[in-house]
Amino acid sequence: MTDVEFDFLRAYLKTRSGLALSGEKRYLVESRLGPVCRRFDIATLGAMVSALKSSRDVALERAVVEAMTTNETFFFRDRTPFDLFRDVLLPEAMARRASQRRLRIWCAAASTGQEPYSLAMMLQDAAPRLAGWTVDIIGTDLSTEVLEKAKAGLYSHFEVQRGLPVQSLIKHFEQVGEQWRISASLRQMVDYRPLNLLQPFDGLGTFDIIYCRNVLIYFDAPTKGDVLARLSTSLAPDGALLLGAAETVIGLTEKLVPNAQHRGLYVQAGRTPAARPAAGGILSPAVGSPGLLPPAAQTGAAAAPPLRRVVGL
């Protein structure tokens, strides 16, 4: 692969996926796109570049972009964002949405589904306190291939060993040969949709909680700022955005600000924290867990077409 061909692929991937590859990543392009060449019976990466330039082969274009997408994920990854969901985010969101009895959660860059299914397990475990509520969980990803795996909910022994407590495996999965399938009730709780974060996503509606973790690290600063600004418009005025540990909004957008109590959590600019629900309340938040979001006065999530009732009884 010549320098010109490599530069074309870098620009091509940047335009279509936001992936910002440095000049030192040539080995990564060669190792990941070699199998794509073999799948499409293309002799060399140079010939692949020529095909991308000269024809509109949608299948090839998708395969090139998806091959370069990093899909590293596992159940309850980094644990803290899920403890935060259980102890603070969910109780406070339920207190503010008590009149509507509906919550909307978006897992952007959901990959093979471990993140949204981790949240779904927590919601199902809390079902007695969520009786009569509608909770929409949307999982999106650029890659249609990983979304198909997420929809199937079938994982290897290695995948269920990564972060998943044994009691959750026993409770929420069934063994299928040498693999494990997450329960049908949990699969029904998540609506998976293909979505490129570089493209408009306002059609998804507004969300109370957005998880967009470990994807912005692959974008350059202008792309990060653009995505974050648009995420803010999809976040309810009193909503919560969670980013990865190595990600931040600082220096990228003024629409979102860090929450002082919880690393990795961001809220709309100009909002002040509210008192947390009393101990023993909706989900009995951990003693001492600080509140982090403002009151709900006329700040409910914008209406969106109903998806499914997942915990309502």
Side-chain angles (χ1 to χ4, degrees):
M1 180 172 55
T2 66
D3 290 344
V4 171
E5 292 164 345
F6 178 55
D7 288 341
F8 169 83
L9 286 172
R10 290 174 62 193
Y12 184 89
L13 292 164
K14 171 71 167 54
T15 300
R16 284 160 177 77
S17 70
L19 180 63
L21 287 173
S22 65
E24 293 75 31
K25 297 294 185 180
R26 183 190 295 259
Y27 73 94
L28 187 64
V29 171
E30 293 173 342
S31 64
R32 292 193 179 182
L33 295 187
V36 177
C37 286
R38 292 190 288 275
R39 192 197 321 171
F40 285 84
D41 197 24
I42 298 174
T44 64
L45 286 174
M48 172 184 285
V49 168
S50 297
L52 292 172
K53 288 180 176 179
S54 63
S55 66
R56 181 66 179 174
D57 187 334
V58 175
L60 176 60
E61 292 174 352
R62 181 184 298 115
V64 168
V65 172
E66 292 189 1
M68 294 303 303
T69 303
T70 300
N71 294 305
E72 169 70 7
T73 186
F74 49 91
F75 291 103
F76 298 100
R77 183 179 184 181
D78 304 325
R79 193 65 216 191
T80 298
F82 299 96
D83 291 342
L84 182 61
F85 177 79
R86 178 196 63 215
D87 296 335
V88 180
L89 296 181
L90 185 57
E92 290 194 354
M94 290 182 66
R96 291 190 307 275
R97 301 292 184 262
S99 60
Q100 299 122 310
R101 301 181 75 79
R102 181 179 184 182
L103 296 174
R104 305 194 74 235
I105 302 168
W106 176 20
C107 291
S111 188
T112 47
Q114 285 93 323
E115 181 177 82
Y117 284 142
S118 295
L119 295 173
M121 280 184 265
M122 300 179 79
L123 288 165
Q124 195 170 86
D125 289 343
R129 294 188 178 111
L130 286 161
W133 282 72
T134 297
V135 182
D136 304 328
I137 307 176
I138 312 295
T140 66
D141 200 277
L142 170 69
S143 171
T144 55
E145 181 178 349
V146 299
L147 288 178
E148 288 305 312
K149 177 177 172 63
K151 291 176 184 178
L154 194 63
Y155 300 97
S156 69
H157 189 65
F158 173 74
E159 288 171 319
V160 298
Q161 282 186 317
R162 299 186 72 196
L164 185 67
V166 173
Q167 61 269 30
S168 296
L169 177 64
I170 295 171
K171 181 176 183 179
H172 297 294
F173 289 74
E174 63 174 347
Q175 191 162 11
V176 181
E178 296 184 355
Q179 295 185 298
W180 294 83
R181 187 186 300 278
I182 200 163
S183 69
S185 61
L186 285 171
R187 295 199 304 274
Q188 292 168 2
M189 288 175 67
V190 186
D191 180 21
Y192 289 105
R193 306 180 186 182
L195 179 74
N196 187 334
L197 288 174
L198 300 189
Q199 298 172 351
F201 45 71
D202 50 347
L204 292 177
T206 307
F207 295 88
D208 302 294
I209 300 170
I210 298 176
Y211 280 72
C212 185
R213 301 194 302 141
N214 306 308
V215 62
L216 296 180
I217 55 175
Y218 299 106
F219 300 161
D220 61 17
T223 305
K224 291 177 184 178
D226 173 65
V227 172
L228 286 167
R230 289 185 292 114
L231 283 173
S232 73
T233 66
S234 294
L235 186 66
D238 56 356
L241 168 68
L242 292 100
L243 301 179
E247 297 167 328
T248 184
V249 305
I250 297 174
L252 298 170
T253 180
E254 296 181 354
K255 296 177 180 289
L256 298 160
V257 294
N259 173 266
Q261 290 83 24
H262 302 284
R263 182 179 179 183
L265 190 138
Y266 302 86
V267 297
Q268 300 281 23
R271 298 291 168 173
T272 56
R276 70 176 178 88
I282 296 171
L283 288 180
S284 299
V287 175
S289 295
L292 51 95
L293 300 174
Q298 298 182 347
T299 58
L307 295 173
R308 64 193 68 197
R309 182 172 294 275
V310 297
V311 291
L313 300 176

